[in-house]
Amino acid sequence: MKAAIIGITGYTGLELLRLMNKHPFLEIGGLYSHSYAEQNLDDVYFYLKNLVKDNQLIKEFDAKEIMADNDLVFFATPSGVSKDQAQIFLEANFPVIDLSGDYRLKGASEYEKWYKSSASHKDYLGKVNYQVADLAHLGTKSIKNSSYISNPGCYATATILALTPLVKEKLIDLSSIIVDGKSGLSGAGKKLTETSHYVTASENMTLYKVHEHQHIPEIIQYLKNWDNDLQALHFTTSLIPVKRGIFITAYAKVKKGVTESDLQQAFENIYAEKYFVRLQEQGRLPELRQVTASNFCDLGLSLNNDTGVVTVVAVIDNLVKGAAGQAIQNYNLWAGIDEKLGLEDIPLFP
Amino acid sequence: MKAAIIGITGYTGLELLRLMNKHPFLEIGGLYSHSYAEQNLDDVYFYLKNLVKDNQLIKEFDAKEIMADNDLVFFATPSGVSKDQAQIFLEANFPVIDLSGDYRLKGASEYEKWYKSSASHKDYLGKVNYQVADLAHLGTKSIKNSSYISNPGCYATATILALTPLVKEKLIDLSSIIVDGKSGLSGAGKKLTETSHYVTASENMTLYKVHEHQHIPEIIQYLKNWDNDLQALHFTTSLIPVKRGIFITAYAKVKKGVTESDLQQAFENIYAEKYFVRLQEQGRLPELRQVTASNFCDLGLSLNNDTGVVTVVAVIDNLVKGAAGQAIQNYNLWAGIDEKLGLEDIPLFP
Amino acid sequence: MKAAIIGITGYTGLELLRLMNKHPFLEIGGLYSHSYAEQNLDDVYFYLKNLVKDNQLIKEFDAKEIMADNDLVFFATPSGVSKDQAQIFLEANFPVIDLSGDYRLKGASEYEKWYKSSASHKDYLGKVNYQVADLAHLGTKSIKNSSYISNPGCYATATILALTPLVKEKLIDLSSIIVDGKSGLSGAGKKLTETSHYVTASENMTLYKVHEHQHIPEIIQYLKNWDNDLQALHFTTSLIPVKRGIFITAYAKVKKGVTESDLQQAFENIYAEKYFVRLQEQGRLPELRQVTASNFCDLGLSLNNDTGVVTVVAVIDNLVKGAAGQAIQNYNLWAGIDEKLGLEDIPLFP
Amino acid sequence: MKAAIIGITGYTGLELLRLMNKHPFLEIGGLYSHSYAEQNLDDVYFYLKNLVKDNQLIKEFDAKEIMADNDLVFFATPSGVSKDQAQIFLEANFPVIDLSGDYRLKGASEYEKWYKSSASHKDYLGKVNYQVADLAHLGTKSIKNSSYISNPGCYATATILALTPLVKEKLIDLSSIIVDGKSGLSGAGKKLTETSHYVTASENMTLYKVHEHQHIPEIIQYLKNWDNDLQALHFTTSLIPVKRGIFITAYAKVKKGVTESDLQQAFENIYAEKYFVRLQEQGRLPELRQVTASNFCDLGLSLNNDTGVVTVVAVIDNLVKGAAGQAIQNYNLWAGIDEKLGLEDIPLFP
């Protein structure tokens, strides 16, 4: 199948290209970007020399051309782009996997509150299928019959994978959940800001968007599948001086009588058969680098008997599992092929 | 006054030297280290050339010589050294500021539980004055009449400064406190381990010593001054790829009716007059680099009305406020001189 | 073909594993390491979970077992190991690709001078084929009939690729060559030293092994293929705070009348058809990250008409092109299959 | 004396403020910046809280006000600002120390060639005194009678200190000099560019402005004081992933018969009495971090007898010795006071 990428020159667009290059069935189709339109891809990015077709042109967005020349389209655009540009695909039921946040929230008013911008039309929002690839087997909504898949946010992916076993099996006090999230700089995108300047970011750590991160509502919306009593989530986001990676530390009070083994068992119940979610042995926690450049989410937990609080650590590569890798995995699930295709690389280690 | 440094070649020993060099009244006396004994300081550390006396010899520990030649001694040694070596100073009431953990816990059994090693004798432990310099004005125990001051740990300093206003003014549910601490690599000392190898630590983050960090009991012990109901503390420690710095994110449920202004006011009540604790405006949080190489602890807080949880961020330089700087400040307080002496540098920025 | 890896737990051993995993014809055979013998690979390295066979045991070296169970062996051991352990393979003409320095120098006395240790026997040294994979087409010695291939060092690879066109086409004054090499920390291996401690290496740069780097003689030995007048080489090596990568800046006076176009043409003559050597356009120089995690060597040059000096920049990933990647490429050449097999990944970017 | 800073919000302006804060005689006067005019300094930079006067206003440039309220002015502005704004001070013989490049080159046409912009008037250029503070004792031009001091560039400072002994004592072949310079990111200033984005700069190295760096002509101009035969200089500049620091590796062929001891002696002849230039023992080379946050330039050299090439390494902190520190030192020399005043800090180590 031939797939177009819209937003090829952003970090997630380039990562899609990197991963599609390894995929046995996905072929790179049209590449679209407003800022670099009419330039050759390997002139803009010399690192792609010899790896993509010579003279592969970056083009200005054109929905009809995309549908004529491709079987599928990935949106790797910043917030606010696909809500308009994707409507024509939604109307045509043309397959889309959208890596942006534009269609993640079911409610238009939720979108408007968190994204501070008007939402797409509710008819379109209603056609969208939000899929956490590694939880697709739990069957909240079948991926196969959708034509528009909304790919989760990077923080949301790691947080949902860390909390689902606890919430679903009702092992914790919902009002006690605290999520302390840390992200590398690529999570903030290519935009040039004082925050992303090397001199600012190196030897530094910053907490940002306190209580306002736009991934909060999609986490709550998803977890309500397992327990509708969940109303709010205390979730903070920080920048740490790494290029890639999300490190989630989630805390919650366990219910009376719950043991560490119970917790471990809850994770095993859900993830034992999942290739891309690797559960550490009881009491051991993952480190960030063990998933770099891979599609894995590694999880570990530890219960503190003095405080009754469980600590869950989840690590992912924000550009792979948190974006392009999960998008490919969602494609595989949607296409009914092995979810591992194109994603079997060993993490880059050291 | 002439001060000896025991453990001159560790990170905190060298940092003491750097800061004493700026102090108007403290003079560098004998320098002691087992591993580098009988070598000249500026032969071992060329970066000190022209800044310390030529031929300043590093010597093997000798308590009598130290007392004969100096007015004061700083222990900048790893855990397990001062519990034996300091006993002779304790008996002689010779002034000591101990930066290590050996005398921080009042109870021998507490020490043995957390440090996994036998404690000093309880008669000695009883003579020790644990002082959080920026809270000395609250007067739990007068610093001036002590001859043995135990300097708080780096994580403990930042955590205690972040939590004291909340605990003292009874604004939070004690059982809900979660502290997510992050430290730079110098916090783990000079020891060569796989964890501290550049290739491991760079582009990585790790959570370590889960529920077992030896700073937990000193935090609880101190906070019980303000509310004896505090029994346990959920406290995690992580390594982030920076050289210096501790970034504490503390969370707690506020009591019913408590507003963000109440919280901010509680911090102002305690810190408004404190030079070294800088409180951000309501709703703004500090970043790590704004205290690098300085003795400041910067604090900020934010209340999430959806979750009822307050987030407090505290940042310090672990080698200054978290070790050598606070030791100098404690010296200043003990000597009855201006606490700022020798510590008025502008942070290294950028 | 089944290949054993000796020294599986070093950086280059693990990198071989990572790359062999992508290879269509190479199968991972026995894995050997003295320090981790009798442990399961994915117990030692959780990041390999689900990616290697469960219970794949790391074993103690056993030459006979290796020959019985495998078709080929890679030595990814530190200096001083294969000179003894490989002799039995040499005698049996069992195929070996040796990533260490033990068999790179033809002369035993050269080895002893630079490695400060006794060399292997000259009969063995004589059977070895030193192969710079991207220059194999120039035919100094056919790779196909060798059973023992010595893989070049990381600095040597980048330097030889940067200098060969200049030396071979006699465009420069040989006595004027200066090579300023910089390496990331993984180049120094897993060994724990003060130099490799994060606190030492971060925000630092160091020049080390001045005039004594053991890659100097293999560069000279190789370049003498093109001009026997080359007697010495001024070559310095530095550590920069990155995990992976070698950045070579080579300088030389060009002969009278030589233009930048002549120089560019010389590089094109040699590399135009080479997939893994990518030549930048005239006057443009590569940056380090454009080859990360890939088998490319990117080259650029610039002639300064005021000084008559050409600057050539070569960048490689030291663990791929500088070690494991080139070893796989040499395997492909030796086996007579497409040199690209298993090595077609897009660099990790950003 | 009261000193104004123009360009207070750039890296070098802030560094001047940090250092002036330690100076016994220099008092901070007016602070000027176009981009932040009419804001309070510690509102813009919270890290300065408690360290500068409350309500210290940043002001719009006003030459008359500056002369009325201050005794001296520092220009810490980007290229192209002081060439216009400083003319009124030049006319009034009001003391200026200019950290920018605008008045470093004596010839207007040189300026125009390298800075690609029109120069100040030649009458003004003629009044300027370019001073390498650590070579002021060699007396190319007395600093005391000048009212306009041009402070050298960061690369130029380290390179001139590395090469002066060799050129002055005619120990090397002038046409063989190669300087390979590396700089941290703060050297490129606060400007937001793709190059300075954390994701670009981290785990990367880049060679930039090949043969075009604007510090080249000031190095040549200065070195011609010692040997007028010097016509050109091969000088490359690279970015390495550190915040602060310049690491210069300079190479040159020594003349026949010159020994390493001769070279070492030449350096001692010039620097033995200089506090801020620290010469390593023969054969030992400095590392970058040993001067961080200090005004030192550390030097080391090594002669390779096989190639006849001497390698000289010079390390400085680009914001201190390469900018603000040298400016304070030049002020001290100009004022006839101890050159060390305000600059005696121990480097930040680790």
Side-chain angles (χ1 to χ4, degrees), chain C residues 113-114 175-182 194 199-200 202-207 210-211 232-236 238 240-244 247 249 251-253 260 283 285-290 292 302-307 309-311 313 315 349-350, chain D residues 113-114 175-182 194 199-200 202-207 210-211 232-236 238 240-244 247 249 251-253 260 283 285-290 292 302-307 309-311 313 315 349-350:
Chain C
K113 175 182 168 194
W114 291 91
S175 73
S176 73
I177 303 171
I178 306 270
V179 181
D180 188 297
K182 301 92 181 169
E194 209 197 312
V199 174
T200 307
S202 175
E203 299 284 311
N204 197 13
M205 176 168 178
T206 322
L207 207 150
V210 199
H211 316 148
L233 184 74
H234 198 79
F235 180 84
T236 59
S238 313
I240 54 171
V242 303
K243 291 172 89 149
R244 285 174 176 246
F247 189 105
T249 320
Y251 304 97
K253 292 264 183 198
E260 196 172 80
L285 302 177
E287 59 180 348
L288 184 57
R289 65 171 181 150
Q290 71 190 37
T292 301
S302 173
L303 176 63
N304 182 340
N305 290 314
D306 291 345
T307 60
V309 173
V310 60
T311 302
V313 171
V315 294
F349 184 99
Chain D
K113 174 183 169 195
W114 291 91
S175 73
S176 72
I177 304 172
I178 306 269
V179 181
D180 188 297
K182 300 94 182 168
E194 210 197 310
V199 174
T200 309
S202 175
E203 298 286 311
N204 196 12
M205 176 167 179
T206 323
L207 207 150
V210 199
H211 316 147
L233 184 74
H234 199 79
F235 180 84
T236 59
S238 314
I240 54 171
V242 304
K243 291 172 90 149
R244 288 173 173 245
F247 189 105
T249 320
Y251 304 96
K253 290 262 182 199
E260 196 172 79
L285 302 176
E287 60 180 347
L288 185 57
R289 65 174 182 147
Q290 71 189 38
T292 300
S302 173
L303 176 62
N304 182 340
N305 289 316
D306 290 345
T307 61
V309 173
V310 60
T311 302
V313 171
V315 293
F349 185 99

Side-chain angles (χ1 to χ4, degrees), chain B residues 39-156:
Chain B
Q39 299 187 53
N40 283 327
L41 183 62
D42 60 359
D43 289 345
V44 181
Y45 293 109
F46 187 86
Y47 83 94
L48 292 171
K49 197 89 189 165
N50 295 359
L51 289 160
V52 292
K53 278 179 274 180
D54 283 352
N55 308 322
Q56 169 115 23
L57 208 63
I58 301 171
K59 293 179 285 189
E60 193 69 62
F61 176 76
D62 178 336
K64 283 184 186 153
E65 181 192 282
I66 290 168
M67 289 194 277
D69 297 350
N70 299 274
D71 304 303
L72 175 76
V73 61
F74 288 97
F75 270 94
T77 42
S79 288
V81 175
S82 70
K83 72 181 179 190
D84 297 324
Q85 289 189 350
Q87 296 189 356
I88 186 168
F89 301 111
L90 275 156
E91 274 167 19
N93 289 319
F94 187 84
V96 173
I97 297 178
D98 186 349
L99 286 77
S100 86
D102 280 16
Y103 288 89
R104 289 188 196 137
L105 302 180
K106 289 177 200 156
S109 61
E110 280 286 277
Y111 183 86
E112 282 153 22
K113 175 182 169 195
W114 291 90
Y115 286 80
K116 294 172 177 44
S117 166
S118 63
S120 188
H121 193 278
K122 73 176 173 1
D123 293 351
Y124 298 129
L125 293 174
K127 293 180 79 170
V128 169
N129 189 330
Y130 178 86
Q131 278 291 343
V132 181
D134 294 305
L135 294 172
H137 65 299
L138 297 183
T140 55
K141 193 168 181 185
S142 165
I143 194 170
K144 293 202 191 156
N145 306 316
S146 310
S147 70
Y148 200 100
I149 294 161
S150 177
N151 211 53
C154 49
Y155 277 119

Side-chain angles (χ1 to χ4, degrees), chain B residues 251-306:
Chain B
Y251 304 96
K253 291 264 182 197
V254 299
K255 290 191 177 156
K256 214 177 158 177
V258 171
T259 66
E260 194 171 80
S261 298
D262 297 337
L263 297 163
Q264 187 80 11
Q265 189 58 53
F267 279 76
E268 275 167 21
N269 292 345
I270 290 180
Y271 299 122
E273 304 299 314
K274 301 309 297 174
Y275 178 79
F276 287 121
V277 182
R278 301 186 299 192
L279 188 58
Q280 303 261 172
E281 276 173 65
Q282 199 166 314
R284 300 205 56 181
L285 302 177
E287 61 180 347
L288 184 57
R289 65 173 182 147
Q290 70 189 37
V291 296
T292 301
S294 84
N295 194 45
F296 292 100
C297 174
D298 288 357
L299 295 170
L301 64 87
S302 174
L303 176 62
N304 182 340
N305 289 315
D306 290 346

Side-chain angles (χ1 to χ4, degrees), chain A residues 113 175-176 178-180 182 194 199-200 203-207 210-211 232-234 236 240-244 247 249 251 253 285 287-289 302-304 306-307 309 311 313 350, chain B residues 113 175-176 178-180 182 194 199-200 203-207 210-211 232-234 236 240-244 247 249 251 253 285 287-289 302-304 306-307 309 311 313 350:
Chain A
K113 174 183 168 194
S175 73
S176 73
I178 305 270
V179 181
D180 189 297
K182 302 91 182 171
E194 209 197 312
V199 174
T200 307
E203 298 284 311
N204 197 13
M205 177 168 178
T206 322
L207 206 150
V210 198
H211 317 147
L233 184 75
H234 199 78
T236 60
I240 54 171
V242 304
K243 290 171 90 148
R244 285 172 176 246
F247 189 106
T249 321
Y251 304 96
K253 292 263 183 198
L285 302 176
E287 60 180 347
L288 184 57
R289 66 172 180 148
S302 174
L303 175 63
N304 181 340
D306 291 344
T307 60
V309 173
T311 302
V313 171
Chain B
K113 175 182 169 195
S175 72
S176 72
I178 305 270
V179 181
D180 188 296
K182 300 92 182 170
E194 209 197 312
V199 173
T200 308
E203 299 285 310
N204 197 11
M205 176 166 179
T206 323
L207 207 150
V210 199
H211 316 146
L233 184 75
H234 198 79
T236 59
I240 54 171
V242 304
K243 290 171 90 149
R244 285 172 176 247
F247 189 105
T249 319
Y251 304 96
K253 291 264 182 197
L285 302 177
E287 61 180 347
L288 184 57
R289 65 173 182 147
S302 174
L303 176 62
N304 182 340
D306 290 346
T307 60
V309 173
T311 303
V313 171

